[in-house]
Amino acid sequence: MTSTTMTEDRPGAVTSQLDPYSDAFLSEPFSHEQTLRDAGPLIWLPQYGAYAMARYDQVHHALNDTDTFSSGKGVGIETRPEGEPPNILMSDDPLHSALRRVHNKVLNPAYIRGLRATFRESAEGLIDPLVGAGPVDGIGDLAVAFPLSVFPDMVGVRKDGRENLLKAASLTFNSFGPQNRLRQAAQQEGPQAMGWLWEQTAPGATADGVGQHIHEVAADQGLHEMIARGLVAGLLIPGLDTTMHGLGLALYYLATNPDQWQLLKADPSRARAAFEEAVRLGSPVQTFARVATRDVEVAPGSTIPEGERVLLFLGSANRDPRRWDAPEAYDISRVTSGHVGFGSGGHSCSGQNIARMEAECILGVLAERASSISLAGEPVYELNNSLRGFRSLPIRIDA
C-alpha cells in the first residue's frame, strides 16, 4: 500500500499505491503525506488516474497559477458533472473574478472590523458558563456552537433548521472524494439539507444580513439571481465547517501544548496567531484538485500533460520541512505567512478573515477567562474526504 515506484507510462512521476481517501490515510495523514513528499515533486495515483503534488513549492505554485491550473472542471478527484451551475469554487476567469468581486465588496475590511463587538459579546456569553464547569466538549460546546450561531446570524439565515448547514457541508466536502462509504453516508442526509439551504439563499430570505447584500451587489453587476444564490451558498458552506475544524484544532493544540497556552495567556492578542498556526499545522482543508490547461513542468523533468487532473495536498504542503522549520511543532510565535490552509491566490477562501475574527474572539476570551486548558478524554476525529477535524474533543477549562 505504501510502495512508490518510477513508471515508464508517466515519465517524471513516481507511482504510488497510497489511497488518500482510505480510512487509514484520513485518520492519520501525516506519515502518509511524508511518504508522498519524500517520493518526489510529482506523484501518479493509478487508482484514480490522477497526478498528485504534496510538496509546498509545487502546491503553492499551482494554487496561484490559475491560468494553468483550472478549477472550472471541479476541485475534487472526479470531473465536475456537465450542466452544474457555475459557482465561486469551481469556476475560472473571467467568471470567477466577477463572482469574487461580489464577495469582496460585501465582505470588505470595514464590514469585518465592525463584527468584532458582536462576535466578542457572543464569545463571552458562550465561554463564561464553561469555565470551571468540568469536562466539556470543545467541538459541540465551542468550535461548533460559536460559528453555528454568529455566522448564520451574520448571513441572515433563520435559526430553525441550522443543523442542515452541517449536513450540507458534509455532503459538499465528501463529494470531492470518490464514491466511498463517507460520500455515500453524506448522500443519505445531504440532499434534504441542500434543499433547506437553497431555500435560505433566495432573495429576501436573508433580508437583514449579508445574504441579501450579496443579492443586491450581484444584481448591480448584472449577475443572474441563480448565480447570486450560489454566492450565498458558497459563503455558508465553506464558511462553517472549515472554521469549526480550525477552532477545534486550535483548542486541541493549546490543550496539548501548555507552553503555547502560557504564551497566549500572557498575551491574549496572540489569539489570531494561535489560530493561524493551528490552521497551518492541522489544515482543516486537506486537499483540492485542479486540471492542467497545458503541458506544465512542475519540477525539472516532471511534466503534467494538458487535461490531466492533479490532487494538491494542502495539509502536506503546510508541513513540508523544505518550507518550514520544525513543521510538526505547534508554535504560535511562528511567522505563518504563506501557509495554504485557506488556499492561496485568486481562489483563496473569501471568508477567511471572518474565520480569523471568530477565532480571535473565542481564543482571546478563553485566554482572559481561563487559567488553563487541558484534555479531559480521548479526542475523536471526524473522517471526511476533504476536511480534517474532530467530532468530539473532551477538554477541561479551569477557572
Side-chain angles (χ1 to χ4, degrees):
M1 179 179 178
T2 60
S3 63
T4 56
T5 58
M6 295 299 295
T7 173
E8 295 181 359
D9 295 334
R10 301 284 167 171
V14 175
T15 295
S16 174
Q17 303 302 325
L18 278 171
D19 181 358
Y21 300 105
S22 68
D23 285 2
F25 195 111
L26 296 173
S27 297
E28 197 290 292
F30 291 9
S31 62
H32 300 306
E33 290 172 343
Q34 180 180 339
T35 297
L36 294 177
R37 286 195 304 268
D38 291 346
L42 185 62
I43 309 297
W44 173 248
L45 301 175
Q47 180 174 350
Y48 298 108
Y51 287 92
M53 296 191 293
R55 294 181 179 178
Y56 178 87
D57 284 350
Q58 284 72 36
V59 171
H60 185 264
H61 177 78
L63 290 171
N64 282 272
D65 186 358
T66 54
D67 289 335
T68 301
F69 293 93
S70 166
S71 300
K73 294 184 179 180
V75 297
I77 198 63
E78 297 177 353
T79 301
R80 181 186 181 196
E82 293 290 339
E84 278 194 359
N87 60 60
I88 195 167
L89 187 61
M90 292 181 281
S91 58
D92 297 315
D93 283 339
L95 175 60
H96 177 262
S97 290
L99 301 179
R100 186 71 179 225
R101 281 194 295 270
V102 176
H103 273 184
N104 288 346
K105 185 168 184 179
V106 174
L107 304 175
N108 61 76
Y111 172 77
I112 293 175
R113 286 194 299 270
L115 297 171
R116 183 186 300 274
T118 300
F119 282 11
R120 167 85 188 192
E121 182 180 358
S122 296
E124 291 172 343
L126 185 63
I127 288 174
D128 283 346
L130 302 179
V131 178
V136 300
D137 183 5
I139 303 305
D141 294 331
L142 274 176
V144 169
F146 185 65
L148 196 57
S149 172
V150 298
F151 193 75
D153 281 353
M154 181 198 79
V155 178
V157 174
R158 70 175 192 251
K159 293 188 181 298
D160 62 295
R162 287 185 178 181
E163 67 279 359
N164 287 296
L165 293 169
L166 302 180
K167 296 173 184 177
S170 175
L171 175 59
T172 297
F173 284 100
N174 274 306
S175 70
F176 296 150
Q179 193 63 248
N180 58 7
R181 69 172 187 86
L182 296 174
R183 182 170 169 181
Q184 290 168 2
Q187 288 170 336
Q188 297 299 310
E189 295 181 318
Q192 182 176 348
M194 282 292 191
W196 180 91
L197 172 65
W198 192 244
E199 292 175 3
Q200 312 312 305
T201 67
T206 57
D208 297 324
V210 163
Q212 185 59 27
H213 194 189
I214 286 175
H215 275 285
E216 293 166 359
V217 173
D220 288 344
Q221 296 191 11
L223 295 173
H224 192 276
E225 176 190 309
M226 297 299 284
I227 299 294
R229 294 183 72 170
L231 284 168
V232 177
L235 183 62
L236 276 168
I237 292 177
L240 276 175
D241 264 39
T242 53
T243 304
M244 293 171 183
H245 285 324
L247 276 174
L249 288 162
L251 292 171
Y252 171 77
Y253 290 130
L254 289 167
T256 54
N257 292 272
D259 59 327
Q260 299 304 301
W261 165 258
Q262 289 303 322
L263 286 178
L264 176 61
K265 178 70 180 169
D267 183 4
S269 70
R270 291 176 178 262
R272 184 170 295 199
F275 177 67
E276 209 76 34
E277 172 68 344
V279 171
R280 179 203 67 82
L281 178 57
S283 295
V285 179
Q286 288 283 293
T287 53
F288 271 140
R290 297 290 190 265
V291 174
T293 62
R294 61 178 178 85
D295 291 357
V296 54
E297 188 177 57
V298 297
S302 298
T303 298
I304 301 175
E306 178 182 352
E308 295 282 3
R309 186 166 296 270
V310 54
L311 188 63
L312 308 177
F313 285 84
L314 279 62
S316 175
N318 280 338
R319 294 186 298 273
D320 187 350
R322 298 164 187 80
R323 170 62 176 82
W324 312 96
D325 292 330
E328 306 295 343
Y330 179 69
D331 178 5
I332 70 172
S333 300
R334 186 193 303 274
V335 177
T336 57
S337 59
H339 79 72
V340 294
F342 290 114
S344 187
H347 272 275
S348 61
C349 175
S350 58
Q352 60 186 280
N353 287 328
I354 297 174
R356 290 183 173 110
M357 181 67 73
E358 292 179 55
E360 183 179 351
C361 291
I362 279 286
L363 299 180
V365 170
L366 194 63
E368 293 170 7
R369 300 292 205 269
S371 63
S372 65
I373 175 175
S374 58
L375 290 183
E378 190 68 24
V380 178
Y381 279 97
E382 178 78 37
L383 296 190
N384 184 287
N385 281 327
S386 303
L387 302 178
R388 178 167 171 79
F390 296 100
R391 178 183 300 172
S392 65
L393 179 66
I395 58 173
R396 184 174 283 103
I397 303 172
D398 296 321

